[in-house]
Amino acid sequence: QKEVEQNSGPLSVPEGAIASLNCTYSDRGSQSFFWYRQYSGKSPELIMSIYSNGDKEDGRFTAQLNKASQYVSLLIRDSQPSDSATYLCAVRERGGDDKIIFGKGTRLHILP
Amino acid sequence: EAGVTQFPSHSVIEKGQTVTLRCDPISGHDNLYWYRRVMGKEIKFLLHFVKESKQDESGMPNNRFLAERTGGTYSTLKVQPAELEDSGVYFCASSQEPSWETQYFGPGTRLLVL
C-alpha cells in the first residue's frame, strides 16, 4: 500500500522563526511532490510543487526533496500567524494517470 | 474567474437515505476529481473524469457510490443508501490538460450520516 507519512502535530513555532515540516513516502518511483495548505474548514490550496532533488524556493517557502531518502520537507521562513494551518504533503503515483496520495497533514501553529 | 464550486456545503442525513453531491469545475477544465476525507484520515482519491469519461474510478469505496458527469461539465456523486462510515468531507478538484498540473480544489461538502 502506497503511503505518505507526516507527523500530525501540532507543531508550535514562534512568530518569525523557521517552521520545518517533514514528509516521507513509500513509492520510490514517485516523481511529483506537492505541499498543500488547508485552513480549518477550507479547501486545500497548493503552495509548492517539486519534481527534482534539491531545494525549490518561492518567497518565504522552500521545498526540499531527497528521492534517495524518500523525503520531502517544507520550510517556512519568518513564520507569521497567518501561516497557522494544516499542511498536507501529497505525492503523485508513479505511472498513475494523475492519482495523488495525500498524507494526513501536519497542524502548524505560529505563536504570536 | 470562478473557482471550483460544490453544493451543498453541508448535508446531514439518516442512514439508508440518499444524498447527491454536486461539483462545478472551473470553466474549461476537462479533468475533474472527487476525493473524500473521513475524520482522522487522509484525503483519499475516489475517481477522475476526463470530460464525461471515467478515467480512473479505482478509489470508489463500493457500489453505493455513483458518479456522473453528463456533458462533461458539472459532476454529481450519489451515495445510495448512505451508511455511517460515509460521513466525511467530499472534495472536488479540477485541472486543465496536461492533467498533472495543479488541481484546484473546491470548498468541499461536509456529509454527516446519522
Side-chain angles (χ1 to χ4, degrees):
Chain A
Q1 171 120 8
K2 296 169 184 174
E3 293 182 336
V4 176
E5 298 288 342
Q6 295 181 256
N7 188 319
S8 62
L11 174 64
S12 295
V13 174
E15 184 176 356
I18 296 175
S20 178
L21 304 162
N22 305 314
C23 169
T24 59
Y25 59 95
S26 62
D27 183 2
R28 182 171 291 278
S30 297
Q31 298 296 318
S32 307
F33 307 86
F34 308 94
W35 282 100
Y36 287 83
R37 177 178 62 200
Q38 185 177 22
Y39 292 113
S40 180
K42 303 296 184 182
S43 57
E45 173 193 11
L46 182 73
I47 54 172
M48 290 288 285
S49 58
I50 187 166
Y51 306 99
S52 305
N53 277 330
D55 295 359
K56 178 181 178 182
E57 186 175 319
D58 183 0
R60 295 186 296 111
F61 299 97
T62 299
Q64 299 176 317
L65 174 60
N66 183 328
K67 290 185 179 180
S69 300
Q70 295 174 240
Y71 177 90
V72 192
S73 65
L74 178 70
L75 302 178
I76 306 174
R77 289 181 300 282
D78 188 23
S79 298
Q80 302 297 311
S82 59
D83 295 327
S84 297
T86 295
Y87 289 80
L88 306 171
C89 176
V91 175
R92 179 171 173 256
E93 278 194 324
R94 169 181 46 175
D97 71 317
D98 294 298
K99 193 180 301 180
I100 292 179
I101 310 283
F102 284 88
K104 292 183 181 180
T106 298
R107 284 183 295 135
L108 175 65
H109 183 208
I110 306 301
L111 303 170
Chain B
E1 178 182 286
V4 177
T5 58
Q6 293 186 246
F7 182 84
S9 59
H10 295 77
S11 181
V12 181
I13 61 172
E14 293 187 350
K15 175 183 174 181
Q17 289 185 321
T18 298
V19 63
T20 300
L21 314 180
R22 172 169 169 147
C23 168
D24 285 79
I26 292 173
S27 178
H29 282 193
D30 287 340
N31 295 273
L32 187 149
Y33 311 80
W34 282 100
Y35 295 89
R36 176 174 75 169
R37 183 167 194 165
V38 172
M39 186 172 291
K41 302 289 186 181
E42 66 274 19
I43 296 174
K44 283 197 171 179
F45 167 86
L46 296 179
L47 88 160
H48 171 206
F49 283 100
V50 178
K51 297 185 179 179
E52 66 274 12
S53 299
K54 292 177 185 175
Q55 184 78 8
D56 182 353
E57 52 182 329
S58 60
M60 294 288 264
N62 51 61
N63 58 10
R64 294 186 294 102
F65 289 74
L66 175 64
E68 295 180 322
R69 193 183 181 195
T70 306
T73 55
Y74 70 91
S75 174
T76 58
L77 179 64
K78 180 188 289 187
V79 185
Q80 179 183 29
E83 298 289 344
L84 300 179
E85 63 264 26
D86 300 331
S87 296
V89 182
Y90 290 77
F91 289 104
C92 175
S94 72
S95 68
Q96 286 182 314
E97 291 286 356
S99 53
W100 52 264
E101 289 183 336
T102 300
Q103 295 183 17
Y104 294 89
F105 280 77
T109 293
R110 283 145 187 82
L111 174 65
L112 178 60
V113 183
L114 300 176

